[in-house]
Amino acid sequence: MKEFKYIIKDKEGIHARPAGLLVKAAAVFPCTVTICKGEKEVDAKRIFGVMGLGAKCGEEITIKADGEKEEEAIKELSKFLEENL
Amino acid sequence: MVLKGKSVFGGIAIGRLAVYKKKDTQVKRIKIADKKAEIERFVSARETAKEQLARLYEKALKEVGEVNAMIFEVHQMMLDDMDYNESISNMIQTQEVNAEFAVASASDNFSKMFAAMEDEYMKERAADVKDISNRVISILQGTVDGTAIGEEPVILLADDLAPSETVQLDKSKVLSFVTQYGSTNSHTAILARTMNIPALIGIDLNNADEMNGKWGIVDGYHGTLYVDPDIETLSKYEKMKEEEEHKKRLLLELKGKENVTLDGRKIHLYANIGSVADVANVLANDADGIGLFRSEFLYLESQNYPTEEAQFAAYKTVAENMAGKKVIIRTLDIGADKQVDYFDMEKEENPAMGYRAIRICLDRKEIFKTQLRAIYRASYYGTISIMFPMIISVKEVKQIKEMIAEVKAELDEEGLPYKDVETGIMIETPAAVLISDLLAKEVDFFSIGTNDLTQYTLAIDRQNPKLDDIYDAHHEAILRMLKIVVDNGHKEGCWVGICGELGADTTLTETFLKMGFDELSVSPSMVLKVRDKIRNLNLSERDV
C-alpha cells in the first residue's frame, strides 16, 4: 500500500466539480483508492463519499492506494491534486 | 384567440406560452414479484437519465462553458455512484419494493446526508441528489419533466401555483404568470408583484396543452391573454411595452431621493421580501430597509424543519447585504393558505382562523425557539427587528417576551454575540386593533397587515375568487381601524407602519401620511412609484 498527504489549497474545498474530476481520475486505476480526513475514510471512486468528506481549504487529507498499479495511482493523483485543489 | 380574465399586476409580457405541469412526486410503495426485472427496470431508467444528462451537458457546454456545464457531468457520476446504486438494488432485493420507491428512499437518505453537513455549500447539494433521483423516477413513471421551462423566458400557464412551487421556479425564465384559479391576493399574485411582472388569474386554461409553445401576449392592464396574436396586435403591444419601459426608466431617476412631501413630511419606505434572493431587488429599488421579511419561505423551501444554522445563515446574509439598514423579520407564519407537509398539521375546516402563525409557535415552542435563536444570533451582523404575526392578546406578547428572555440568557451563557433587537407585532386581527392601546405598552412598533385585517374585519375569505368584487380594501371600517392603531401606538411611543398590500396603494398614500403613519412597506417594485407619489404631495394644502 502507498499513501501521501495533501493540504487542500482551493478556497472552496473539494466541491462538486473537483470531486467529480477526482473520482474520474481515481476510477481509471484497478487498485483500491481511498481518501481519509481525520477519522473518516471514503472510497475515492464514489462521488457521494468524496463529497461527503466535506474537505475544506487548509485541511489535510491522506490518499491511500492499494493493489495493482498503486504507484502510478499515487503519482497521478498527487499531480491531479496539485493542479486542481 | 383572445381570453379574458382578471389582472393582478399590470404590465405587458410578450413571449412563448409554456404550461406548468405539476410534478407528480407521489411515489407509491408496491410489492413486486420479479426482483430481477425490477432491478433491470431501474438500471434502464438510470441509463436513460444519464443519456439525458449527457445531452444537457453538451448543450450547456456550448452555451455557458465548461465550468458551468460540469454540474451535469457530476450528476451523471452521482447516478453511477456505487453506494447509491447498491442502496437501491439492495432495497429492491430485500424488501421486494418497486424501483420508484427504492429510488425515492435512496434519494431521501443521501440528500439527508448532505443536508446534515456543516458546510453551507454541501448542504445545498441535497438538491442535486433529489434532482437526479426525480429524473429517474419521472422516467420510471413515464411522466414528462415537471416545469417545462427551457432556456428561453416564457409566459407560464398553470392551474394555480403553490408557494412551494413558485419558490422553486427559475424566476429569470418567467415573463408572466397566467393561472386558471387563484385570487388577487393569492401567493402567485403577490409573487408577480414582487417580481414586477404582469399576471392574470381566472383565464380559461382547459385547452392549455394546445397553447403550449405558441406565442402569446399578456396585457396586465386589461386582464387579457392573446394566444397566437396577429401581426397588428403584436406590433401594437410591442410599442406599448417600449413606452412602459421608458416610464420605468424615469422612475429609476427617483433613486437616491428622500421620501419627503413638498411640505417636508418624511416617512420611511421599506420593502417586503420573501427570500434571501429578493434583497437584490430591494437594493435595486432603493428601499430604506426591509419592512417585512417573510421567514416562512425558509420552511416552505425545505423538506424538514430548517435548522438554527440554516436560518441563522439566511438572516445573517440579509442583514449583511442590507449593510446596517433595518431588516424586520416576521417570525413563522404558516397555516391557513401556507401549508408545510412536515409540520403534520391536521386538516382544518377553517384554517384562516385556525392553528397558524404565533399560535403554532407558542404551542410548539421548540420550533419557535430555534427561530428566535437564529434571529438573535444574526442581529449581531446588522440592524434586525423582529415582529410576531396574528397577535390577539397581551398574554401572547408576554409569553413571547419570556421566551426572548430565555433565548438571550442562553446566548449569554454560550458566549454568542447579539445586539438589541427592536420588537413589534403585526396588527392583523380586529382584536389587536381594539386593544392596541394595551399592546403598545409591550412593544416598540406596530406593523399593520392589511390583507388579513381586511379579511377578518369584512369576513371575506381572500382565497375565494368569487368574493373579489366585494373585497373592498378601502372600506371605511379598515380606514378607521388604521387610525385607531396609529393613535394608540403613538401615545405609547411606538412607531406604526403598514406592511400589507394596501401600503402600496398610491390612492391612499396621502391618507396614510395624514393619519400619521411612520412607515410603509411595499413590494420592492412599488418603492419608487410610492416615493414619486409622496414627493408630489402637499399635506398642508386644504382639502378641496
Side-chain angles (χ1 to χ4, degrees), chain A residues 14 16-17 20 46-48, chain B residues 70 73 77 81 83 121-122:
Chain A
I14 306 188
R17 199 177 94 88
R46 301 186 181 200
I47 191 164
F48 284 136
Chain B
M70 184 71 194
E73 206 172 43
M77 295 171 83
D81 185 275
D83 294 323
Y121 169 83
M122 283 298 171

Side-chain angles (χ1 to χ4, degrees), chain B residues 164 167-168 274-275 296-303 342:
Chain B
S164 59
V167 292
Q168 285 172 27
S275 75
E296 55 276 9
F297 280 74
L298 282 166
Y299 296 78
L300 292 166
E301 272 173 353
S302 61
Q303 307 296 319
Y342 56 81

Side-chain angles (χ1 to χ4, degrees), chain A residues 14-17 19-21 23-24 43 45-49 51-54 56, chain B residues 67 70 73-74 77-78 81-84 86 110 113-114 117 119 121-122 125 129:
Chain A
I14 306 188
H15 54 108
R17 199 177 94 88
L21 294 171
V23 169
K24 244 165 118 180
D43 186 341
K45 297 178 183 176
R46 301 186 181 200
I47 191 164
F48 284 136
M51 288 172 73
L53 269 187
K56 294 191 202 89
Chain B
V67 173
M70 184 71 194
E73 206 172 43
V74 170
M77 295 171 83
M78 285 179 165
D81 185 275
M82 284 191 288
D83 294 323
Y84 179 76
E86 278 164 15
F110 283 86
M113 173 194 101
F114 282 112
M117 284 172 75
D119 187 277
Y121 169 83
M122 283 298 171
R125 303 285 65 78
V129 180

Side-chain angles (χ1 to χ4, degrees), chain B residues 234-249:
Chain B
L234 197 63
S235 63
K236 178 181 129 197
Y237 274 101
E238 269 168 357
K239 214 172 142 214
M240 270 173 76
K241 195 164 183 283
E242 235 170 74
E243 280 166 18
E244 198 184 39
E245 273 159 14
H246 176 68
K247 234 190 259 168
K248 266 190 209 158
R249 277 196 297 276

